[in-house]
Amino acid sequence: MAKGSSSISKTAVWILLGLLILGLGGFGATSLTGNIRTIGTVGDMPVSVDNYARQLQQEIQAVQQQTGQVLPFAQAQQIGLDRAVLQRIIDTRALDHEAAQIGLSIGDSNLRDRILEIGAFRGIDGAFDREGYRFALEQSGISEAQFETQLREEVARTLMQGAILSGVVMPDAFVDTLVNYVGEQRSFTWARLSEADLETPIEAPEDATLQAHYEENIADFTLPETKQITYALLSPDAMVDEVEIAEADLREAYDLRSEEFNQPERRLVERLAYLDAESAATAAAALETGTDFETLVENRGLALADIDLGDVTLADLGAAGEGVFAAEVGAVVGPLPSSLGPALFRVNAVLPEQFTSFEDAQAILRPEVAADRARRLVEAQAENLDDLLAGGATLEELAADTDMVLGKVDWSTDSAEDIAAYEAFRRAALAVTAEDFPQIGQLEDGGLFALRLDAVLPPRPAPFEDVREDVLTHWQAAEVESRLAAQVDAQMPQLTEGTPFAELGLDAVREENLLRSDFVGGTPPGFLSEVFDMAVGDVSVQPHDGAIVVVRLDGISGPSEDEETATMRAQLAEQADQALAQNVFEIFGTDVSRRANPQINPQALQAVHVNFP
């Protein structure tokens, strides 16, 4: 029996191995190196496995270059990158299908011309290189027939797109509306009245008045959601005292920054270069006859900023150095040789030599070297601190057993003091939940921290006693605005009739032909928007931070008929035409894709995906 049982076991093993080989063979049939070459069809057009894989890889690489971080395929799927690439390919193949349906294509002669125009296929002599053409396609993993088919399809798509986009023009009325909105102008008179303009001063309010105002405006005195957080902090500043700095370390730092501490004599110089010695000599002669240096610069079509060399040393100027350094401040010397040709040099200032001895530089170097060493000491403890937390240590135990310091903070999105001023801490505090375990994070200055959420306080009114001064300020602002508005209300009929502001004792400002995009200082947000909604003769009163702004609209004028407006009109018309054309093409593309009835094979798609890390 034992022998028979062994034979059956061996047979079962061979059967399982055979099934496994068959399974792996079937899997390979849908991989990038298997027999399946497409992931589906769009109309009559196949969707190539290689094309989808290549475009997906390019998209992932583009995201990685933008973010500077590796993008795993699982994360790319989470953000929908694979679906976006697939949809783009489907849209393209739908257009290819539509072009084929209507018989749109280019002949062999045009195809040949297109290929000859591609610079990558040209040899050293600039002519088409047949062998180079074959080699370039081979390196790209594509056959000549595939490339030429893709080129035919691309040209056909371009022709179809051009036919749809060309001739699409937005009506003039639309552009006129935009130009009028952007370019219309308003002329108005306005005055700002503050507490000093009150006819009677405001008396101090009673507590009952403030309490009532507090309750009526409780939303303005409500604290935001607050997280009560315990944190442990290891700051480089706390480690500075433990840092020992040898004199050799300071001397090394001094040597590395020798150019900063020891600078040779320099000059602030402008250089006006010429193409040849004759032109430079003519310019120098013009200076002697009274032409100033600025005129020479303008004659060359340059500005002084274009010829400014900044501060330069004798060595920086090369062969012109001796002549320039011998000149007085304000003098123009030359022509002298330069890297751009013969040039005139003007000396604007002399910067004397600067020398800082090692002894004097220590006061600068020691704190910097100590701070750098302290940051390194802090960084060296990061892994150990992380291990302690991972092993179950609490923040309190971390503070007791390491150099970390324990602290507490009531944190909200408005917090910006002490540790809450660090962006890294703010991000961690915003994301932390009661279920999270503390982890080591790094602050912008190199410090290390870990935090724990103890409790969350919901939005709640601040106690009246704590915000009494804020309530008083709020009440005073509201009272001033209310009383000033009442004063102006009595003058409203005269203002509406056109009585000058000065006759009513208002210190007014006259604004002429302002655009919506202009800014008027001393006015509340949205001031010009309200002005542009007014009719001529209307008077508006707008409260603003314990004051009011009184404005009367005096005139409305259309956009200026100048070159700037004409340019703006042309730009708006072009943008509107492009937007309309793009919308038309998108509608066309959507319809084409729907009629092409895309069919995608999920198994083939998955076979591509498993090849991505």
Side-chain angles (χ1 to χ4, degrees), residues 225-230 409-411 432-434 452-458:
E225 180 182 84
T226 303
K227 292 183 175 181
Q228 293 184 323
I229 291 174
T230 298
V409 61
D410 289 343
W411 183 88
V432 68
T433 66
R452 180 187 67 223
L453 178 61
D454 298 327
V456 178
L457 304 179

Side-chain angles (χ1 to χ4, degrees), residues 189-191 495 499-509 539 550-552:
T189 306
W190 68 282
L495 288 169
T499 302
F501 277 50
E503 291 186 13
L504 301 175
L506 301 176
D507 186 13
V509 179
V539 179
V550 184
V551 57
R552 180 174 64 198

Side-chain angles (χ1 to χ4, degrees), residues 119-309:
F121 301 149
R122 294 177 182 172
I124 299 176
D125 59 355
F128 177 74
D129 184 350
R130 184 68 182 77
E131 186 60 28
Y133 172 60
R134 184 198 61 77
F135 180 75
L137 295 181
E138 184 179 295
Q139 291 298 107
S140 301
I142 185 172
S143 69
E144 294 181 25
Q146 289 175 319
F147 173 74
E148 290 167 8
T149 298
Q150 290 178 8
L151 187 57
R152 287 181 190 273
E153 292 172 346
E154 180 182 342
V155 173
R157 285 198 308 270
T158 303
L159 291 172
M160 186 164 55
Q161 182 175 4
I164 295 171
L165 296 179
S166 62
V168 178
V169 179
M170 188 69 78
D172 290 339
F174 180 82
V175 178
D176 291 340
T177 301
L178 291 179
V179 172
N180 287 336
Y181 182 86
V182 175
E184 262 193 349
Q185 303 170 64
R186 296 293 188 271
S187 298
F188 53 90
T189 306
W190 68 282
R192 179 182 174 88
L193 306 181
S194 62
E195 184 175 0
D197 298 300
L198 286 173
E199 295 173 351
T200 56
I202 295 178
E203 298 179 357
E206 298 179 353
D207 282 348
T209 301
L210 288 181
Q211 182 70 41
H213 184 80
Y214 165 79
E215 294 172 358
E216 292 169 1
N217 299 274
I218 195 64
D220 294 320
F221 306 107
T222 296
L223 298 173
E225 180 182 84
T226 303
K227 292 183 175 181
Q228 293 184 323
I229 291 174
T230 298
Y231 65 89
L233 172 66
L234 179 58
S235 169
D237 292 341
M239 303 291 291
V240 168
D241 293 339
E242 300 183 20
V243 173
E244 295 183 2
I245 304 174
E247 181 177 327
D249 297 328
L250 293 177
R251 286 197 175 275
E252 181 181 357
Y254 178 78
D255 292 338
L256 290 174
R257 296 169 58 180
S258 60
E259 292 185 0
E260 174 185 341
F261 291 119
N262 304 302
Q263 297 185 355
E265 187 176 339
R266 291 157 293 149
R267 298 289 188 273
L268 294 181
V269 174
E270 292 165 337
R271 178 186 62 190
L272 182 59
Y274 289 86
L275 294 176
D276 51 59
E278 183 179 353
S279 300
T282 301
L287 285 174
E288 295 179 0
T289 58
T291 303
D292 57 35
F293 188 70
E294 286 77 7
T295 301
L296 293 179
V297 175
E298 292 175 5
N299 290 343
R300 292 292 311 281
L302 301 171
L304 290 177
D306 299 327
I307 65 171
D308 187 12
L309 296 181

Side-chain angles (χ1 to χ4, degrees), residues 512-531:
E512 295 284 351
N513 300 326
L514 264 62
L515 301 171
R516 294 177 187 270
S517 57
D518 288 328
F519 172 76
V520 181
T523 60
F527 171 73
L528 277 178
S529 295
E530 181 161 340
V531 169

Side-chain angles (χ1 to χ4, degrees), residues 458-522:
R460 63 220 178 274
F464 175 77
E465 295 75 15
D466 294 346
V467 293
R468 189 181 188 284
E469 290 302 317
D470 295 333
V471 174
L472 174 60
T473 300
H474 195 277
W475 176 86
Q476 286 178 329
E479 190 71 10
V480 169
E481 292 171 4
S482 175
R483 293 194 185 187
L484 287 173
Q487 283 183 199
V488 172
D489 190 57
Q491 301 171 317
M492 193 65 72
Q494 296 166 283
L495 288 169
T496 304
E497 291 172 359
T499 302
F501 277 50
E503 291 186 13
L504 301 175
L506 301 176
D507 186 13
V509 179
R510 171 75 177 179
E511 305 286 359
E512 295 284 351
N513 300 326
L514 264 62
L515 301 171
R516 294 177 187 270
S517 57
D518 288 328
F519 172 76
V520 181

Side-chain angles (χ1 to χ4, degrees), residues 531-555:
V531 169
F532 271 77
D533 289 337
M534 296 166 60
V536 174
D538 285 354
V539 179
S540 172
V541 177
Q542 302 182 35
H544 184 218
D545 294 339
I548 64 170
V549 173
V550 184
V551 57
R552 180 174 64 198
L553 184 61
D554 300 323

Side-chain angles (χ1 to χ4, degrees), residues 390-413:
T394 65
L395 297 183
E396 287 76 9
E397 290 171 339
L398 236 62
D401 299 337
T402 71
D403 293 319
M404 299 194 87
V405 176
L406 200 68
K408 293 182 178 292
V409 61
D410 289 343
W411 183 88
S412 72
T413 53

